[in-house]
Amino acid sequence: MTLSGADSHAHQSNFNVSAGSSLREKPQQSSQQLSADEKKQVEQLKRRDAEVKRHEQAHKAAAGQFASGGPSYEYQTGPGGK
């Protein structure tokens, strides 16, 4: 098996957002100002974030001494402002 500095495969996570809405449209809000749907979405995003990080950590552990670095992540601002 040959490993390069980049992960041997790419992952892409897609989050379904209601039609007409965007994760970047709303200004930062505190969790007290979020609607019930937005709070639900924030919780789903938190769970997915943790799932992806566990998955990528497993890749790093499996690569062992052959890993030249860790995963890198790209983030978008969600309805909670984070």
Side-chain angles (χ1 to χ4, degrees):
M1 173 170 74
T2 302
L3 295 176
S4 66
D7 196 7
S8 62
H9 65 280
H11 295 287
Q12 182 173 353
S13 299
N14 295 313
F15 297 103
N16 293 327
V17 180
S18 307
S21 68
S22 167
L23 293 178
R24 294 182 185 254
E25 286 179 5
K26 295 185 179 186
Q28 289 188 357
Q29 298 178 354
S30 73
S31 61
Q32 296 173 345
Q33 296 173 332
L34 297 176
S35 70
D37 286 339
E38 289 171 326
K39 288 179 184 178
K40 182 178 176 183
Q41 184 182 19
V42 167
E43 290 306 314
Q44 289 173 338
L45 291 170
K46 284 180 181 179
R47 284 192 299 272
R48 181 65 179 146
D49 180 67
E51 178 184 354
V52 167
K53 287 179 179 174
R54 280 191 305 271
H55 176 88
E56 294 306 324
Q57 184 61 36
H59 282 293
K60 184 178 178 186
Q65 68 184 19
F66 302 107
S68 61
S72 64
Y73 304 101
E74 292 182 22
Y75 295 92
Q76 291 182 335
T77 303
K82 294 182 179 180

